[in-house]
Amino acid sequence: MASLGSAPPALPRHVAVIMDGNGRWAALRGLPRVEGHRMGVRAVRTVVECARELGIPFLTLYAFSLENWGRPEPEVRTLMSLLQKFLRSELPEMLRQGIRLRVIGDTSTLPLPVRHVLSRTMSATAGNSGMTLTLGLSYAGRNEIVRAAQALAADAAAGTIRPGAVTEEVFASRLDTAGMPDPDLVIRTSGELRVSNFLLWQSAYAEYVFTDVLWPDFGKTEFLLALEEFSRRHRRYGLTGEQAGSPPAK
Ligand code: FPP
């Protein structure tokens, strides 16, 4: 890949992406929706490579939501097959680039061959420390929160935790993202201005960047533009601009 040269100054530690617009990309070209997903895989490769090259430690991609199971069966099958192929073909590259793979979501609902390749890839890359690539698969934020609440309620019922001991930190440690920093930047492509059940707990203080670009057209330039926009934001975490060190309003 060409050098990124003009890397923006304030890089986020964790970038999360809602990859949207594959279907519309295909429809605009008179192609079946699955062609949009195929081209979407190419964009995934580009963004992973770009994030790794820039030194972003955490990249999370929303690849398949819990709600996506409701799509036509052939589309779901194609998405599962693309995912399987991606994991198989990218393993050597992940090892070369020091990328660790993680998954968030209710993976028990994934087809067995997908679960196998996922678990093989996660084991093979577990020792990598260059970047953590997390895929949201069969993922939904509310479902994740409910699963964490159920696990804590079971512990409370068993007497291994006091209800009063459930702090934000304890709760976060029971989410699928346990141990990961919260996303600093969430990017959504395709012009939709929604959060769509993605990282609901974790994005409490995330900056959002929305772009009209459809996911298969999202490349290095668009990624760098989103990072540049992020670097111009002043994060205040509920404090005043003065307290947070933001420049005075003009
Ligand atoms: C949203 O576009 C995209 C998805 C539901 C799937 C995302 C999947 C990929 C990019 C490819 C597989 C992923 C990996 C990690 C190998 P949409 O279908 O909702 O588009 P539309 O809103 O235009 O219909």
Side-chain angles (χ1 to χ4, degrees):
M1 187 170 118
S3 164
L4 294 163
S6 58
L11 275 181
R13 226 176 131 207
H14 184 175
V15 179
V17 189
I18 303 175
M19 309 181 288
D20 197 9
N22 294 351
R24 275 162 288 166
W25 184 94
L28 281 169
R29 289 159 180 80
L31 297 168
R33 293 177 55 81
V34 292
E35 286 309 314
H37 296 316
R38 274 188 237 287
M39 293 307 280
V41 176
R42 208 179 60 160
V44 166
R45 280 199 197 93
T46 305
V47 168
V48 169
E49 203 176 283
C50 202
R52 175 69 188 100
E53 187 169 326
L54 285 167
I56 292 169
F58 294 89
L59 175 69
T60 299
L61 304 176
Y62 202 3
F64 191 84
S65 74
L66 200 54
E67 292 77 15
N68 286 156
W69 289 114
R71 291 194 174 198
E73 211 265 332
E75 182 171 341
V76 170
R77 223 174 329 117
T78 302
L79 280 167
M80 290 300 140
S81 149
L82 285 174
L83 177 68
Q84 235 178 300
K85 280 191 201 139
F86 171 82
L87 291 171
R88 281 213 195 96
S89 67
E90 294 310 297
L91 179 60
E93 198 53 26
M94 284 189 207
L95 293 173
R96 199 182 66 78
Q97 295 189 35
I99 296 173
R100 175 183 176 198
L101 183 81
R102 266 184 80 157
V103 179
I104 54 171
D106 185 359
T107 50
S108 66
T109 55
L110 294 168
L112 204 59
V114 175
R115 274 189 273 159
H116 279 154
V117 68
L118 270 173
S119 103
R120 272 202 305 273
T121 313
M122 285 192 289
S123 311
T125 61
N128 288 347
S129 55
M131 178 175 88
T132 300
L133 168 65
T134 304
L135 298 181
L137 293 174
S138 204
Y139 177 85
R142 285 185 176 178
N143 168 269
E144 178 193 31
I145 290 168
V146 167
R147 284 187 285 110
Q150 285 172 345
L152 284 164
D155 284 354
T160 54
I161 191 164
R162 272 184 310 107
V166 181
T167 58
E168 288 190 13
E169 288 71 27
V170 168
F171 197 87
S173 75
R174 305 305 283 264
L175 293 169
D176 298 345
T177 49
M180 284 165 57
D182 286 342
D184 303 294
L185 167 64
V186 178
I187 301 170
R188 182 172 189 147
T189 59
S190 91
E192 305 292 352
L193 307 180
R194 287 190 291 275
V195 172
S196 297
N197 219 349
F198 186 49
L199 299 177
L200 295 182
W201 171 281
Q202 299 86 342
S203 297
Y205 282 100
E207 296 292 329
Y208 282 84
V209 169
F210 296 99
T211 167
D212 288 340
V213 174
L214 303 174
W215 177 250
D217 291 330
F218 192 88
K220 191 169 104 177
T221 306
E222 290 73 20
F223 191 55
L224 289 174
L225 279 173
L227 294 175
E228 254 166 44
E229 183 165 339
F230 171 81
S231 73
R232 287 195 297 270
R233 302 272 175 94
H234 299 291
R235 304 178 81 189
R236 293 199 293 271
Y237 300 98
L239 303 179
T240 65
E242 202 172 38
Q243 286 175 307
S246 303
K250 292 196 183 105

